[in-house]
C-alpha cells in the first residue's frame, strides 16, 4: 500500500515555473534546472527498481530532512526501514567515468576528455550514517544496524577504483542492483539478535515522518550555511510501503 506518493521537488517546481514564464532564463538557473531534473529522474529510476523489492516488513522513506544533534540538518535521498537493518540510499544520476581514488579519498569524474575532482559521495553517506545514528540514540530508539549504499542510476556511468580488490566500492552499486543488494543485507542481518518489533518499527517510521523538515526556500534568494540549513537542498518527504 502506498502511504504517500513521491512529489515533484519544490525547487524543481519553482525552476520549471520560472522557465515557463521567463523569455530568457539566466544561465545559472538553467544549469540548476538541468541538475534538479536529472536528480529527479534518477530518483524515479530508483523507485522503479525498488518496486520489485518483495515483502511486507519494510518501508521506504524518500527525501528525509532531519535536524542532527549538532544543530545542522542532514538530508537522505531514500531510507529503507526493515526490522533488522536501516539502509541509507544516496542516488547519483550522472554520466561519465567515475574514478574513486582510495588513497586520497577522492572521486574524479572523466567526461568528454576532462577530469573534474568532485566531493566523494562515500564520505557523504558515511556522514549521513553517523548523523542518523546520533539522531536515533538521542530519541532513545532501540539499537539497530545501519548500512548505506551509493547508487548510480544513469546506465552510462562507469565506476572504477584506483585500488582493485579493496573495499572502497563495496557500497557502490547501479540502480538495477538495488534489490539484490537489499535482499542480501536483509538475509545477513536477519541472523542477528537485534531487531525492531513491529510496534517499535511503526513508531520509528512515524517519528521519522513527523520529524521531517522540508526546506522551502526560494530559488531566487541566496542561501547561507547556518545551523538550521543544510548545503544540500531538500524536497518534500514521501513514504512508500511495499507489500
Amino acid at each position: 500500500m502506498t502511504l504517500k506518493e513521491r512529489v515533484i521537488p519544490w525547487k524543481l517546481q519553482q525552476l520549471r515555473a520560472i522557465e515557463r514564464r521567463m523569455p530568457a532564463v539566466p544561465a545559472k538557473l538553467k544549469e540548476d534546472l538541468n541538475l534538479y531534473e536529472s536528480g529527479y529522474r534518477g530518483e524515479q529510476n530508483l523507485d522503479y527498481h525498488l518496486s520489485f523489492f518483495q515483502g511486507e516488513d519494510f518501508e521506504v522513506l524518500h527525501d528525509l530532512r532531519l535536524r542532527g544533534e549538532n544543530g545542522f540538518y542532514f538530508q537522505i535521498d531514500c531510507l529503507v526501514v526493515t526490522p533488522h537493518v536501516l539502509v541509507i540510499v544516496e542516488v547519483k544520476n550522472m554520466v561519465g567515468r567515475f574514478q574513486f581514488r582510495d588513497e586520497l579519498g577522492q572521486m574524479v569524474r572523466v567526461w568528454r576528455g576532462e577530469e573534474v575532482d568532485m566531493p566523494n559521495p562515500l564520505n557523504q553517506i558515511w556522514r549521513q550514517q553517523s548523523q542518523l545514528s546520533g539522531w536515533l540514540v538521542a530519541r532513545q530508539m532501540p539499537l539497530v544496524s545501519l548500512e548505506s549504499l551509493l547508487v548510480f542510476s544513469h546506465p552510462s556511468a562507469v565506476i572504477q577504483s584506483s585500488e582493485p580488490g579493496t573495499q572502497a566500492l563495496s557500497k557502490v552499486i547501479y540502480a538495477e542492483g538495488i534489490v539484490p543488494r537489499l535482499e542480501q543485507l536483509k538475509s545477513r542481518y536477519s541472523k542477528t539478535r537485534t531487531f525492531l518489533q513491529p510496534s517499535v518499527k511503526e513508531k520509528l517510521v512515524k517519528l521519522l515522518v513527523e520529524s521531517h523538515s522540508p526546506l522551502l526556500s526560494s530559488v531566487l534568494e541566496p542561501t547561507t550555511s547556518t545551523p538550521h540549513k543544510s548545503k544540500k537542498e531538500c524536497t518534500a518527504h514521501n513514504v512508500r510501503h511495499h507489500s
Side-chain angles (χ1 to χ4, degrees):
M1 178 180 65
T2 299
L3 299 181
K4 188 175 182 183
E5 293 285 356
R6 178 184 291 280
V7 298
I8 301 173
W10 172 243
K11 288 284 187 179
L12 181 53
Q13 292 183 50
Q14 293 183 76
L15 290 166
R16 285 178 174 178
I18 291 173
E19 184 183 42
R20 288 194 301 267
R21 297 176 183 179
M22 292 184 68
V25 180
K28 179 61 171 67
L29 289 181
K30 185 64 176 179
E31 180 183 355
D32 289 345
L33 174 61
N34 291 337
L35 286 173
Y36 276 97
E37 290 280 12
S38 176
Y40 184 51
R41 288 195 300 271
E43 291 172 356
Q44 288 180 311
N45 184 32
L46 177 67
D47 291 347
Y48 168 75
H49 292 289
L50 277 173
S51 69
F52 295 98
F53 192 34
Q54 301 297 317
E56 299 180 354
D57 58 351
F58 76 98
E59 280 77 29
V60 179
L61 284 68
H62 297 288
D63 299 320
L64 272 178
R65 183 173 181 262
L66 305 172
R67 186 178 181 184
E69 296 313 296
N70 59 358
F72 286 89
Y73 284 90
F74 62 102
Q75 187 264 343
I76 296 174
D77 284 346
C78 177
L79 179 66
V80 181
V81 181
T82 79
H84 295 275
V85 61
L86 308 184
V87 185
I88 295 171
V89 182
E90 176 68 19
V91 187
K92 301 297 181 185
N93 187 35
M94 299 182 290
V95 64
R97 180 158 49 91
F98 298 89
Q99 299 176 343
F100 287 84
R101 297 180 177 175
D102 309 335
E103 67 280 3
L104 299 176
Q106 291 180 324
M107 184 183 78
V108 177
R109 182 193 187 195
V110 181
W111 175 239
R112 294 178 176 173
E114 295 185 4
E115 288 192 4
V116 179
D117 290 340
M118 302 184 68
N120 191 335
L122 291 175
N123 294 331
Q124 180 184 353
I125 62 174
W126 177 85
R127 288 193 301 270
Q128 291 170 340
Q129 189 169 325
S130 176
Q131 288 171 301
L132 181 58
S133 177
W135 189 91
L136 294 170
V137 169
R139 284 150 186 80
Q140 299 182 336
M141 295 303 299
L143 293 178
V144 64
S145 299
L146 288 176
E147 283 282 352
S148 52
L149 295 173
L150 174 61
V151 176
F152 281 83
S153 60
H154 199 290
S156 297
V158 177
I159 313 301
Q160 298 177 330
S161 173
S162 62
E163 297 182 12
T166 67
Q167 297 298 312
L169 297 186
S170 62
K171 294 181 178 293
V172 183
I173 61 173
Y174 292 102
E176 57 267 28
I178 185 67
V179 171
R181 181 60 64 87
L182 288 175
E183 292 287 3
Q184 183 184 70
L185 291 173
K186 184 178 176 181
S187 175
R188 180 198 307 172
Y189 285 101
S190 65
K191 301 173 184 178
T192 63
R193 294 183 177 181
T194 58
F195 66 96
L196 300 174
Q197 296 287 351
S199 60
V200 178
K201 185 167 70 66
E202 182 180 351
K203 177 183 176 181
L204 172 59
V205 170
K206 182 180 179 181
L207 180 60
L208 288 165
V209 172
E210 293 176 345
S211 301
H212 168 66
S213 178
L215 180 59
L216 301 177
S217 61
S218 170
V219 296
L220 299 178
E221 297 177 359
T223 58
T224 57
S225 179
T226 72
H228 301 291
K229 291 184 180 179
S230 65
K231 291 184 179 179
K232 181 172 180 180
E233 303 297 347
C234 162
T235 63
H237 169 75
N238 306 278
V239 183
R240 177 170 298 170
H241 176 220
H242 298 271
S243 59

